[in-house]
Amino acid sequence: MTTILTTREDINLSSVFRVAWKKDTVQISGKALQRIAECRASFLRLIETDPVPVIYGVTTAMGELASRRLELGERDRHARIKAFAAATSFGEPLPDRVVRAIVLARLTNFLEGNAATTPRMALAVAAMLDGGPMPMVPSCGQGGAGEILALYPLFAELSTRFDLEIKERGSLINGSPCAAALVADAALAARRRVRLAEKVFALSIEAFRAPLEHYDPALDALWGDEHEAAALRGLREFLASTGTGRRNYQAPVSYRIVPRILGHAHRALASAERAATVSLASISDNPVYIPPGDGHPLGRCISTGGYHNAIATPALDDLAAIWADICLLCDRHASKLLNGKVSLLPDLLLTGRDWSDSDGHGNVGYVPMAITGYLEQAKLAAQRTFIPGTESAGAGQDDVATTVFLAWTKEARTGRCLDAASAWLLRRFSRSSRISEASCRQSAGIACWDLNLLIWPNCSPARSLRSKRSGVSRCPNGG
């Protein structure tokens, strides 16, 4: 399939899913290419006016040399610098799907002429999504101001194919397409993770035979929160066909607060989706070209801080925090199902064997230990991300670093920990349902590796199954 791009609104969560996750190709429409060409022509006329406008990286040098004016002959020489200098980071690469999302988000500045680049550069960037291998972009060592430490290596090879012209290199390496792509990737995964959490906890509720009044429809209005109401509806959907014979007294707190906690997951998801939607369509170039308008017949070029995305990191931090909280609920539910006095099931879910044949924990008795490990890893990764306190590069210009790479890495880690904890809770449900003959049949066909397929659709069953015992897919790292 091919996704057609005409305006920056065409780059959204839906197109990221198709292009980055499902590997659709993209095509820039003729209308957009005409607009790019027209803005390029106006921009070239603008920089030839007298007096010469001060435009960062065009009529001046860049970075620490920003105060240095470029003479006419120096401009072309400066423009031809290849995108190599800042390719200094190394380490674990970003997943292929994330790199594709960054390339797609890079086109946002191009489509309406705000990058003042050439049609050939727009077409070359779009062609990177035609199905060939993506460049390696490190996820580590991203402590620069803006995103040039990631964008330089991403577009380095492309830049070698051209004798670069004025503003072409800047259009590749400036702005914040990485932040837009990273928060979009997290939001897409979060949609599936929240839905999966509703199913997993509905199964746990059924295994425990918790009273359904804890999830009564009346609570939707009584609590008065749209996100908690969504969580309640999600739970009831999976509990609708469950059986009778439930306990006639309230379940422990960890069962009663499930819709409250999952409600916050819905809230964090909504925040991430909004951050992604805004970021993907946001013009973040520096300098940014504003096409001709009243009082500016050739348009104008202004220097901005658009490359520092301030909404993506808090959204990612909120997702990480709620994943850690849900890990805790997985731990509590798993432990309760083992405790016969609480679950009304056999202690340690041991049946059909003599106590002397057990090592004291049984087949699933060690699960809480594993979940505790995942929980603590999630809590460590879910710490709030602050702007680094050191001055990036010890420089006069680039004195504040971006935070989104740090936040995305932590959110991805907590999400994988939740996937693992959820897998073990499913395992516990599977064992308890065989003992109690629970009537909740939604579990049919749900294996631990299905967690990965629900969250990461391009992950193959064979690949996921190799990670079944840990419950953690390699797909979030490996694409």
Side-chain angles (χ1 to χ4, degrees), residues 54 117 217 244 284 305 345 351 409:
V54 177
T117 193
T244 57
S284 60
L345 297 166
T351 59
T409 300

Side-chain angles (χ1 to χ4, degrees), residues 326-400:
I326 297 175
C327 276
L328 178 74
L329 282 191
C330 288
D331 172 74
R332 296 297 186 268
H333 281 221
S335 297
K336 292 298 182 292
L337 288 172
L338 282 179
N339 187 337
K341 293 180 180 179
V342 179
S343 67
L344 307 182
L345 297 166
D347 274 331
L348 301 177
L349 302 180
L350 288 173
T351 59
R353 57 192 296 194
D354 191 274
W355 286 104
S356 62
D357 294 329
S358 173
D359 65 356
H361 291 278
N363 285 342
V364 293
Y366 290 101
V367 168
M369 299 181 188
I371 295 181
T372 296
Y374 295 124
L375 169 60
E376 292 306 313
Q377 285 180 285
K379 287 161 62 178
L380 285 171
Q383 302 304 305
R384 178 64 62 177
T385 307
F386 296 99
I387 295 175
T390 56
E391 184 169 333
S392 177
Q397 282 277 321
D398 299 326
D399 57 348
V400 177

Side-chain angles (χ1 to χ4, degrees), residues 186 190 193 264-265 268-269 272 312-328 374-375 377-385 406-418:
R193 194 166 272 130
H264 188 62
L269 168 60
T313 291
L316 290 166
D317 282 351
D318 285 347
L319 286 175
I322 194 59
W323 302 151
D325 281 347
I326 297 175
C327 276
L328 178 74
Y374 295 124
L375 169 60
Q377 285 180 285
K379 287 161 62 178
L380 285 171
Q383 302 304 305
R384 178 64 62 177
T385 307
L406 300 171
W408 179 84
T409 300
K410 294 189 298 177
E411 188 278 336
R413 185 175 298 124
T414 58
R416 292 194 297 272
C417 289
L418 174 56

Side-chain angles (χ1 to χ4, degrees), residues 219-236:
L219 296 173
D220 295 13
L222 291 174
W223 286 353
D225 180 83
E226 60 177 315
H227 302 297
E228 291 175 353
L232 284 161
R233 289 193 299 271
L235 290 168
R236 289 197 298 268

Side-chain angles (χ1 to χ4, degrees), residues 192-207 231 234-239 258 262 422 425-426 429 440-447 450-451 454:
R192 290 151 182 78
R193 194 166 272 130
V194 169
R195 183 63 169 166
L196 182 62
E198 290 173 345
K199 178 175 287 191
V200 169
F201 282 105
L203 294 173
S204 178
I205 288 164
E206 177 59 18
L235 290 168
R236 289 197 298 268
E237 177 183 344
F238 295 115
L239 292 168
V258 166
L262 294 187
S422 298
L425 184 55
L426 275 176
F429 165 79
C440 190
R441 298 307 178 196
Q442 298 98 306
S443 60
I446 297 181
D450 283 313
L451 290 165
L454 286 167

Side-chain angles (χ1 to χ4, degrees), residues 161-316:
R161 292 185 256 136
F162 296 93
D163 191 8
L164 295 176
E165 299 176 3
I166 287 173
K167 195 67 169 69
E168 285 187 320
R169 178 169 57 95
S171 70
L172 294 174
I173 64 172
N174 286 320
S176 55
C178 298
L182 290 168
V183 73
D185 181 73
L188 289 171
R191 285 178 179 176
R192 290 151 182 78
R193 194 166 272 130
V194 169
R195 183 63 169 166
L196 182 62
E198 290 173 345
K199 178 175 287 191
V200 169
F201 282 105
L203 294 173
S204 178
I205 288 164
E206 177 59 18
F208 196 77
R209 311 303 285 166
L212 295 183
E213 67 185 60
H214 301 335
Y215 321 102
D216 194 282
L219 296 173
D220 295 13
L222 291 174
W223 286 353
D225 180 83
E226 60 177 315
H227 302 297
E228 291 175 353
L232 284 161
R233 289 193 299 271
L235 290 168
R236 289 197 298 268
E237 177 183 344
F238 295 115
L239 292 168
S241 60
T242 56
T244 57
R246 319 193 80 82
R247 63 187 66 214
N248 60 2
Y249 55 93
Q250 70 178 21
V253 169
S254 60
Y255 283 84
R256 282 177 279 146
I257 68 171
V258 166
R260 292 283 209 182
I261 300 299
L262 294 187
H264 188 62
H266 278 274
R267 191 176 300 112
L269 168 60
S271 176
E273 289 181 332
R274 181 185 180 279
T277 299
V278 171
S279 299
L280 288 167
S282 175
I283 299 299
S284 60
D285 205 1
N286 178 50
V288 60
Y289 178 67
I290 302 173
D294 293 342
H296 300 280
L298 298 179
R300 56 196 179 111
C301 224
I302 59 175
S303 186
T304 80
Y307 50 82
H308 188 97
N309 186 311
I311 61 175
T313 291
L316 290 166

